[in-house]
Amino acid sequence: MGKWIRRIIILASLIMLIPNIFSFFSELGSDIPKHIRDEVESGNAIVYDVNEEVIVDQDTINFKHVVRTEDETMVIYEVHKHEPGWSFPTGALELKDEDGNDYSIQGGGSAGKPWGSIITMGYEPLPENVESIILDFNWYDRSFQLEVSLIGEGNSHG
């Protein structure tokens, strides 16, 4: 009798986990966090695909998207670590417009993956007339600049 009770409990637990399993696998294909996808789908945000890669020492930073909302500008990128001993300092990535105006960091987050991290950094909102931004990174002897065009409608995918 005890064997059947254990099996029923295990089966009930597995059935209760089914929605979480589907949610986990549906999130795997998207590098845009769900709350941002919801904003895009509701028409409150515009996504600009970047798809540019920068190598810093032996690590690869893959810039995926810039998302503009009324309240902030988000930069979404992946850090693929190949060099032990240092971590990419997200606070050293500055956002500037084509006129050289700086936009302050408002916050950010990251999700650890086996190969590295997906990072979402939020900056001050950009004025509507800004047509391109510059991602400027300076950290001791490591530096790069990446210009991203914001001309066009962007995407409304999630």
Side-chain angles (χ1 to χ4, degrees), residues 68-156:
R68 290 178 84 167
T69 70
E70 193 174 291
D71 300 327
E72 70 181 331
T73 303
M74 290 164 273
V75 178
I76 301 171
Y77 57 96
E78 298 177 356
V79 177
H80 299 263
K81 305 226 2 100
H82 303 291
E83 178 183 354
W86 88 291
S87 56
F88 186 76
T90 56
L93 186 64
E94 297 178 0
L95 181 107
K96 300 178 180 187
D97 64 21
E98 65 266 14
D99 295 328
N101 299 312
D102 290 318
Y103 297 89
S104 300
I105 293 175
Q106 292 185 326
S110 67
K113 302 291 180 189
W115 43 257
S117 302
I118 296 175
I119 299 170
T120 303
M121 290 301 297
Y123 297 86
E124 292 178 279
L126 297 170
E128 286 188 30
N129 64 341
V130 171
E131 295 182 348
S132 70
I133 58 169
I134 298 165
L135 300 171
D136 188 12
F137 176 80
N138 282 303
W139 189 257
Y140 298 103
D141 61 340
R142 300 167 172 107
S143 65
F144 65 82
Q145 283 190 336
L146 178 65
E147 186 169 355
V148 178
S149 174
L150 304 177
I151 296 175
E153 292 299 314
N155 298 321
S156 57

Side-chain angles (χ1 to χ4, degrees), residues 18-34:
I18 288 174
N20 293 336
I21 292 169
F22 283 120
S23 174
F24 173 76
F25 284 110
S26 68
E27 292 289 321
L28 283 179
S30 178
D31 48 14
I32 299 176
K34 183 175 179 355

